[in-house]
Amino acid sequence: RNRGAGANRMESLLLKVANLLGRRNAPLARRGRDAAGVLLAVMLALALAQIASRGLLHYSLGWAEELARVALVWSVLLVAPYAYRNGANVAIVSFADALPPRLLLAVSVLLNLLVVWILLVLLNESFAFWRRGLDMMAATLDLKMAWFYWIVPVSFAAMVLVGIELLVRLVLRLLGAQSGIAMEGAMPAVVEN
């Protein structure tokens, strides 16, 4: 098919944006995933220490329970950008399989636009959440809750960047260009080279 120079320039620009975002998002997402794994191990160690302390010493480590909860929440927020970028979300494929490929891509663009919009709203709200943490102290530790809450805006910001990358790659694919994504139902996943 014959396409104009303007369309080729637009595809080239979109591909550069997608690749730039990919070079930033991929290592950040992997580091978040790896840190989440470490935090899950820390959470398990804290839970075992709490059990041992109660059973052997008849003493409760209150701080261990609080830190284990923080480790659990942080692990979820750290792995979320990786899961979003790699299509590890729940996907209903039976509905998606019934759609023609171009309509499926268009639906995926709309779904990801909605996700990015929701993430932007949550990112905006997360700053107020963090600020409220400046006025609260942890129950068993001499720390302001803001030290635990800062992961929330960081995670939402990372997910917004992933969402923008996925949107650009979906638009590229909708235009018929190579975009570096694979589809699992209506969920795109970046294919690493």
Side-chain angles (χ1 to χ4, degrees):
R1 87 188 184 207
N2 187 10
R3 294 161 36 130
N8 288 337
R9 281 195 299 272
M10 177 59 85
E11 279 183 18
S12 177
L13 176 63
L14 288 173
L15 189 57
K16 286 179 184 177
V17 169
N19 289 335
L20 174 68
L21 286 167
R23 284 192 303 276
R24 301 296 180 259
N25 289 338
L28 288 175
R30 281 192 301 272
R31 284 188 204 114
R33 177 203 61 197
D34 295 346
V38 169
L39 284 174
L40 287 175
V42 166
M43 186 180 70
L44 177 62
L46 288 169
L48 292 174
Q50 178 75 318
I51 291 167
S53 176
R54 281 184 185 167
L56 299 174
L57 305 175
H58 305 291
Y59 179 76
S60 179
L61 303 172
W63 58 268
E65 185 176 333
E66 187 168 25
L67 281 180
R69 274 195 313 268
V70 168
L72 175 64
V73 171
W74 273 49
S75 66
V76 169
L77 290 169
L78 284 169
V79 81
Y82 178 84
Y84 184 24
R85 189 167 192 272
N86 290 284
N89 303 309
V90 175
I92 302 171
V93 295
S94 59
F95 169 73
D97 288 344
L99 296 176
R102 289 188 58 76
L103 181 57
L104 176 62
L105 287 171
V107 167
S108 188
V109 167
L110 290 175
L111 288 173
N112 278 279
L113 274 170
L114 179 62
V115 168
V116 169
W117 174 70
I118 291 168
L119 288 170
L120 285 169
V121 169
L122 291 171
L123 174 62
N124 185 50
E125 293 296 321
S126 71
F127 292 112
F129 177 68
W130 176 80
R131 279 192 298 276
R132 282 191 301 274
L134 292 171
D135 297 328
M136 295 186 295
M137 295 297 286
T140 58
L141 303 168
D142 191 27
L143 287 171
K144 291 188 181 282
M145 290 303 292
W147 285 102
F148 300 124
Y149 291 172
W150 71 265
I151 193 64
V152 177
V154 168
S155 178
F156 285 134
M159 286 189 285
V160 165
L161 290 175
V162 167
I164 293 168
E165 177 190 1
L166 291 174
L167 280 169
V168 171
R169 291 183 185 280
L170 283 165
V171 168
L172 277 167
R173 182 139 175 206
L174 196 57
L175 294 173
Q178 293 296 321
S179 63
I181 59 170
M183 299 297 292
E184 177 65 33
M187 298 303 303
V190 176
V191 179
E192 298 290 339
N193 295 337

